[in-house]
């Protein structure tokens, strides 16, 4: 069978990708188009009249009172005021606080350096407005101008118009698309920009490209796609038990690299006890157009497709993924309100003054005066006298008067119904505005909770995206944040900047073994995110609860703790400094666990309060601990030197000529009848 060339492999892959994308895009086209129309409806002026209504009101006033935009912005601002954060926690239950804090700090630093807030805000707003948003993670070189520096950092970047550009395979059912095997990210370019970037002419594309429903090349733009493809391979690991009872694991690659490995294991008495099947997973990235594969980008860092989707509301109907945001159900009510207000404006624009009806003879020669009356406000208007059939002048005056336009009674009632419908669909934030000062705290809490629950579904779905983002980041970090003693920026929970040294060799004080500190390859963490009612309402409820406890508490120390906790949960201008003060107070009382800096500060404070004898005893104890640590280190060094000496001895013996070894062994057999087992040269079988 002839081997397929690399170009032919890429051509086959491209044909497969074109067909797969066409199926995905065809199935989701209508849904994604509605998402785009929803975003246009609330964000672009004049878009609420697009469609048949424009033709009906072509020569009439078309007013827009965009209530939907204000409602969407209220939800977006609620999120921006209460952002969701990622927290890494141990997966196996072991305490790995130091490594978890390191991951938290590195993640926050990557967020800050890549301006991730823009990516989050854009995805959340597109999800609330249209129903679907997304952002991405990618790796860049830390210093792209230095050819010798191959260190990488992770960046979080926005994807704009995600409803028109991000498509996962149809078999992916999970909301975070963790089960996706394929993903396309589409971008558009002008024909000139495409030719300059890739040196390809769309006119040379094969005709079969134009047979697909999706048009990869239009007269104006050329579409280019990032194609992510998950490649999984089934592997088998063979577990052997040695004579000593230990278990050793060997992959198929180990046996392929060493054909004698199985015989060697049998010779030393190792027995195969079981086999375990597992999957290896890598993500391959390609850049493609409608004509060909433009670039094979190779395997990316991590084991996950680095695209994070966010949904407003999502469900499956007829095995098709459906989604929508906050806009779709309110569009009809908004259109009806615009139509009513436009009609009302049209009626109001008509003059409320009764207009005289005159004959042409009466205004002949005075038409300009009558036409300009509304602009120049003449003190009087002239008309020509009218004569009867006998030539006598008749009484001059209007023939009749027009009636003022009347507002239909049904329109006022319909306006009220429409306004109520919009409040029912969009929520009623006016409840919070109407709260009076003497309302009870419980009532305030209930109203605030009701408002929070209106936005909870969007916050919850966004939290799923944030959780997936943390998982993808950790998978990528395990691949690229592995340089020994690499120093990186980290951000603490208090937004302080600190330096973290990765893969730092240290001596375990308990075992005396050399371990690697901040080893992300050993980071077995789950990702937690916090979502719920807004933190503002929760802090207000906490303050009220603490205040209530103060009234029933008699213990002075307890009152002091409650007061400090209440002040820490207060909000307002300049309250941050007050919060820091009371936090330090709670740390001194032992209520709050201190940070490293706070612990050092507390230790220094306690040392300053000790008497000289206590200080001397403490110093002596620390000196004894230091001497013990040095003795342990010396012991470790001695053991290491002994092991080194032994290794050198073995190396020396291995260099002895084979003939000399044979002679020595034969002599030993003749003299003492020594049976040699497992000490024969590697070049020959054991003697029988």
């Amino acid at each position: 069978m002839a081997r397929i060339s690399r170009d032919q492999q890429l051509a086959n892959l491209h044909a497969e990708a074109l067909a797969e994308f066409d199926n995905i895009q065809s199935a989701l086209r209508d849904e994604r188009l509605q998402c785009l129309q929803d975003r246009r409806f609330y964000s672009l002026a004049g878009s609420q009249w697009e469609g048949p209504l424009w033709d009906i009101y072509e020569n009439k006033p078309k007013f827009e009172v965009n209530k939907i935009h204000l409602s969407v912005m209220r939800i977006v601002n609620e999120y921006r005021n209460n952002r969701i954060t990622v927290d890494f926690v141990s997966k196996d239950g072991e305490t790995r606080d130091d490594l978890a804090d390191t991951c938290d700090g590195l993640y926050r630093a990557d967020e800050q350096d890549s301006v991730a807030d823009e990516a989050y805000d854009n995805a959340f707003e597109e999800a609330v407005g249209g129903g679907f948003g997304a952002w991405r993670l990618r790796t860049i070189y830390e210093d792209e101008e230095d050819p010798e520096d191959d260190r990488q950092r992770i960046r979080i970047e926005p994807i704009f118009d995600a409803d028109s550009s991000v498509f996962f395979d149809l078999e992916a059912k999970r909301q975070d698309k963790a089960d996706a095997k394929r993903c396309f990210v589409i971008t558009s370019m002008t024909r000139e920009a495409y030719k300059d970037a890739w040196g390809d002419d769309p006119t040379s594309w094969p005709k079969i490209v134009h047979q697909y429903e999706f048009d990869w090349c239009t007269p104006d733009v050329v579409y280019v796609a990032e194609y992510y493809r998950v490649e999984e391979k089934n592997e088998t690991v063979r577990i052997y038990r040695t004579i000593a009872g230990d278990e050793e694991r060997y992959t198929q690659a180990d046996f392929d690299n060493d054909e004698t490995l199985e015989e060697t294991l049998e010779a030393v008495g190792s027995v195969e006890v079981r086999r375990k099947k597992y999957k290896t997973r890598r993500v391959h990235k390609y850049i493609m157009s409608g004509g060909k594969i433009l670039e094979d980008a190779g395997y990316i860092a991590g084991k996950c497709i680095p695209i994070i989707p966010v949904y407003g509301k999502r469900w499956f109907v007829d095995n098709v993924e459906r989604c929508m945001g906050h806009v779709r159900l309110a569009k009809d009510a908004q259109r009806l309100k615009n139509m009513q207000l436009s009609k009302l404006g049209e009626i109001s624009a008509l003059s409320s003054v009764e207009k005289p009806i005159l004959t042409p003879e009466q205004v002949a020669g005075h038409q300009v005066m009558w036409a300009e009356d509304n602009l120049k406000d003449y003190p009087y208007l002239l008309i020509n006298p009218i004569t009867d059939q006998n030539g006598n002048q008749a009484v001059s005056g209007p023939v009749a008067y027009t009636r003022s336009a009347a507002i239909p009674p049904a329109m006022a009632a319909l306006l009220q119904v429409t306004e109520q419908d919009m409040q029912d669909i969009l929520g009623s934030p006016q409840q919070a505005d109407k709260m009076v000062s003497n309302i009870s705290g419980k009532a305030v809490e209930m109203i605030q909770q009701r408002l929070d629950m209106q936005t909870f579904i969007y916050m919850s779905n966004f939290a799923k995206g944030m959780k997936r983002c943390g998982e993808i980041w950790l998978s990528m970090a395990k691949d690229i944040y592995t340089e020994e003693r690499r120093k990186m920026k980290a951000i603490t929970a208090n937004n302080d900047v600190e330096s973290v040294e990765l893969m730092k060799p240290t001596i375990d004080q308990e075992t005396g073994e050399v371990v690697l500190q901040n080893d992300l390859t050993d980071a077995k963490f789950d990702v937690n995110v916090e979502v719920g009612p807004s933190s503002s309402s929760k802090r207000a409820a906490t303050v009220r609860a603490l205040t209530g406890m103060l009234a029933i508490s008699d213990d002075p120390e307890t009152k002091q703790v409650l007061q400090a906790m209440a002040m820490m949960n207060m909000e307002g201008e300049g309250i941050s400094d007050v919060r820091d003060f009371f936090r330090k107070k709670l740390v001194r009382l032992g209520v709050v666990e201190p940070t490293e800096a706070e612990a050092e500060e507390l230790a220094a404070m306690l040392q300053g309060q000790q008497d000289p004898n206590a200080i001397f005893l403490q110093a002596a104890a620390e000196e004894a601990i230091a001497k013990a640590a040095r003795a342990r280190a010396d012991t470790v060094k001695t053991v290491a030197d002994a092991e080194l000496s032994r290794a050198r001895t073995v190396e020396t013996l291995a260099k002895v000529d084979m003939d000399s070894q044979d002679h020595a062994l034969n002599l030993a057999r003749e003299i003492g009848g020594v049976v040699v087992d497992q000490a024969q040269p590697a070049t020959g079988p054991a003697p029988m």
Side-chain angles (χ1 to χ4, degrees):
M1 186 176 179
R3 186 175 181 180
I4 303 176
S5 64
R6 180 58 178 169
D7 292 340
Q8 186 60 44
Q9 291 178 356
L10 292 178
N12 296 338
L13 179 67
H14 179 256
E16 179 185 343
L18 283 180
E20 186 173 15
F21 177 77
D22 211 55
N23 292 333
I24 298 172
Q25 198 271 338
S26 299
L28 301 179
R29 179 175 57 247
D30 293 340
E31 282 294 318
R32 296 297 182 84
L33 181 60
Q34 289 189 67
C35 294
L36 176 60
Q37 291 173 346
D38 292 347
R39 291 195 298 116
R40 290 179 54 85
F41 190 87
Y42 87 90
S43 61
L44 297 183
S47 60
Q48 296 181 356
W49 290 95
E50 292 178 348
L53 283 179
W54 183 270
D55 299 331
I56 298 174
Y57 283 76
E58 183 176 3
N59 298 318
K60 298 179 180 180
K62 292 183 283 292
F63 299 125
E64 284 185 355
V65 181
N66 200 339
K67 293 291 189 74
I68 298 180
H69 179 83
L70 299 177
S71 183
V72 171
M73 288 299 101
R74 178 178 62 83
I75 298 174
V76 172
N77 292 334
E78 183 76 15
Y79 157 72
R80 294 188 179 186
N81 190 46
N82 305 281
R83 296 188 179 275
I84 300 173
T85 57
V86 170
D87 182 33
F88 297 96
V89 296
S90 176
K91 180 178 292 187
D92 52 11
E94 296 183 359
T95 303
R96 303 293 304 277
D97 293 340
D98 293 340
L99 187 57
D101 292 342
T102 298
C103 291
D104 290 340
L106 293 176
Y107 182 86
R108 284 190 288 263
D110 286 343
E111 281 186 318
Q112 186 181 86
D113 294 343
S114 57
V115 196
D117 287 350
E118 180 182 359
Y120 300 155
D121 295 346
N122 177 76
F124 186 82
E125 184 171 345
E126 290 190 1
V128 174
F132 183 80
W135 73 88
R136 70 173 353 130
L137 282 80
R138 73 182 185 99
T139 58
I140 64 170
Y141 288 108
E142 194 168 50
D143 188 355
E144 296 184 349
E145 298 181 355
D146 187 359
E148 302 296 330
D149 190 356
D150 58 352
R151 296 177 300 174
Q152 299 182 63
R153 292 297 300 265
I154 302 173
R155 292 293 177 261
I156 302 172
E157 299 177 346
I159 298 178
F160 301 102
D161 290 332
D163 47 27
S164 305
S165 59
V166 178
F167 297 89
F168 293 90
D169 61 275
L170 300 178
E171 287 73 24
K173 303 299 184 181
R174 288 183 54 175
Q175 184 165 321
D176 58 5
K177 300 303 180 183
D179 56 343
K181 300 296 179 62
R182 305 286 189 272
C183 181
F184 297 85
V185 182
I186 309 298
T187 57
S188 60
M189 307 174 66
T190 64
R191 285 175 172 262
E192 292 75 15
Y194 175 78
K195 291 179 182 179
D196 294 339
W198 302 105
D200 184 34
D201 190 357
T203 58
S204 63
W205 290 0
K207 294 182 179 180
I208 191 173
V209 177
H210 305 288
Q211 297 178 5
Y212 294 106
E213 291 190 20
F214 182 77
D215 194 356
W216 287 85
C217 180
T218 68
D220 299 323
V221 299
V222 178
Y223 292 97
V224 176
E226 298 177 31
Y227 177 38
Y228 296 92
R229 182 185 178 97
V230 175
E231 297 180 1
E232 294 181 342
K233 184 185 293 185
N234 294 320
E235 298 284 353
T236 302
V237 61
R238 300 166 66 177
I239 298 101
Y240 284 80
R241 181 175 288 116
T242 64
I243 297 178
D246 300 327
E247 289 189 352
E248 297 178 348
R249 298 170 179 261
Y250 300 93
T251 63
Q252 187 60 43
D254 296 330
F255 290 96
D256 295 339
N257 295 330
D258 187 0
E259 297 180 353
T260 64
L261 178 58
E262 189 168 2
E263 298 177 358
T264 303
L265 292 173
E266 293 178 357
V268 298
S270 297
V271 180
E272 184 178 353
V273 292
R274 65 182 184 277
R275 297 187 180 187
K276 178 184 177 181
K277 294 184 178 181
Y278 67 99
K279 288 184 178 181
T280 59
R281 178 186 174 102
R282 298 298 302 272
V283 179
H284 207 135
K285 177 182 178 181
Y286 301 90
I287 309 294
M288 58 173 286
S289 65
K292 63 179 180 179
I293 298 290
L294 300 173
E295 180 185 349
D296 182 358
Y299 293 109
I300 65 173
K303 301 178 180 180
C304 310
I305 297 176
I307 309 298
I308 298 95
V310 181
Y311 293 87
K313 304 170 186 176
R314 171 185 180 267
W315 53 87
F316 276 86
V317 179
D318 297 332
N319 201 33
V320 177
E321 186 180 64
R322 318 281 182 172
C323 61
M324 71 176 187
H326 199 59
V327 175
R328 190 168 305 171
L329 298 181
K331 291 169 70 174
D332 288 343
Q334 180 68 69
R335 290 191 183 101
L336 184 57
K337 187 177 185 64
N338 291 339
M339 292 169 59
Q340 295 167 357
L341 293 177
S342 298
K343 185 63 177 179
L344 184 61
E346 183 182 4
I347 295 174
S348 302
L350 300 175
S351 177
S352 61
V353 181
E354 296 181 345
K355 295 182 179 180
I357 301 176
L358 304 172
T359 63
E361 294 81 4
Q362 288 180 291
V363 295
H366 307 294
Q367 296 92 335
V368 176
M369 175 179 283
W370 282 87
E372 295 180 348
D373 182 46
N374 290 333
L375 300 176
K376 298 185 178 181
D377 192 20
Y378 292 114
Y380 56 85
L381 297 173
L382 301 177
I383 60 173
N384 298 320
I386 300 176
T387 57
D388 57 16
Q389 54 185 347
N390 298 322
N392 298 322
Q393 182 175 344
V395 178
S396 299
V399 177
Y401 286 89
T402 60
R403 293 183 178 181
S404 301
I407 299 176
M411 180 173 291
L414 189 58
L415 277 172
Q416 294 181 357
V417 173
T418 304
E419 183 68 24
Q420 184 61 46
D421 289 341
M422 293 195 68
Q423 290 185 11
D424 293 340
I425 297 172
L426 299 175
S428 182
Q430 291 83 2
Q431 295 179 1
D433 299 334
K434 295 179 180 179
M435 289 189 297
V436 295
S437 58
N438 59 351
I439 193 172
S440 67
K442 187 66 176 177
V444 172
E445 184 177 349
M446 292 178 62
I447 293 175
Q448 187 62 51
Q449 185 178 8
R450 191 179 300 115
L451 296 176
D452 292 339
M453 294 306 295
Q454 294 174 359
T455 64
F456 185 81
I457 184 172
Y458 304 108
M459 301 291 284
S460 177
N461 287 339
F462 189 80
K464 293 182 176 69
M466 289 296 298
K467 178 179 175 67
R468 182 58 180 168
C469 183
E471 294 170 352
I472 296 174
W473 180 91
L474 185 60
S475 177
M476 299 174 71
K478 287 182 177 181
D479 282 355
I480 66 174
Y481 294 163
T482 57
E483 296 90 350
E484 187 172 337
R485 309 202 68 120
R486 175 184 177 181
K487 292 185 177 181
M488 298 183 64
K489 181 177 75 172
I491 306 296
T492 66
N494 298 325
N495 291 326
D496 297 327
V497 180
E498 64 179 13
S499 179
V500 172
E501 187 173 350
L502 302 180
M503 310 286 284
K504 180 180 179 181
T506 58
I507 297 178
D508 193 330
Q509 297 297 327
E510 296 182 357
T511 63
E513 298 179 353
V514 177
V515 296
L516 294 176
Q517 188 178 1
N518 297 326
D519 182 9
L520 266 64
T521 60
D522 194 34
K524 300 178 180 179
F525 296 132
D526 286 327
V527 180
N528 281 354
V529 292
E530 184 180 357
V531 61
S534 68
S535 59
S536 299
S537 60
K538 288 192 295 183
R539 283 195 290 267
T542 302
V543 171
R544 288 193 295 271
L546 293 171
T547 305
M549 293 175 65
L550 277 172
I552 61 176
S553 178
D554 297 329
D555 184 23
E557 188 175 356
T558 303
K559 284 188 174 182
Q560 190 178 6
V561 173
L562 294 174
Q563 290 173 351
M565 293 179 65
M567 293 301 300
M568 285 188 61
N569 285 275
M570 295 289 288
E571 288 188 328
E573 189 72 24
I575 200 69
S576 58
D577 295 336
V578 178
R579 250 194 238 114
D580 294 339
F581 172 78
F582 282 98
R583 173 179 170 80
K584 293 180 180 179
K585 191 172 184 178
L586 291 175
V587 169
R588 290 195 299 269
L589 293 173
V591 179
V592 177
E593 185 177 355
T595 62
E596 294 184 2
E598 291 171 342
E600 294 177 357
E601 183 179 351
L602 185 62
M605 185 182 301
L606 293 175
Q607 185 176 1
Q609 296 175 356
Q610 292 177 350
D611 57 51
N613 293 328
I615 296 176
F616 174 77
L617 293 175
Q618 183 179 358
E622 292 177 352
E623 184 180 359
I625 294 173
K627 289 181 179 179
R630 285 196 298 271
R632 187 180 300 165
D634 293 338
T635 303
V636 173
K637 184 176 182 301
T638 302
V639 173
D641 292 339
E643 292 293 333
L644 179 61
S645 179
R646 187 183 302 171
R648 289 174 177 174
T649 302
V650 173
E651 183 182 4
T652 302
L653 292 175
K655 294 180 181 179
V656 177
D657 185 75
M658 295 297 178
D659 294 337
S660 300
Q661 294 185 29
D662 292 339
H663 178 72
L665 291 172
N666 291 332
L667 182 61
R669 274 198 307 268
E670 293 175 0
I671 296 175
V674 179
V675 180
V676 181
D677 187 19
Q678 300 181 358
Q680 300 300 320
T683 56
M688 301 298 292

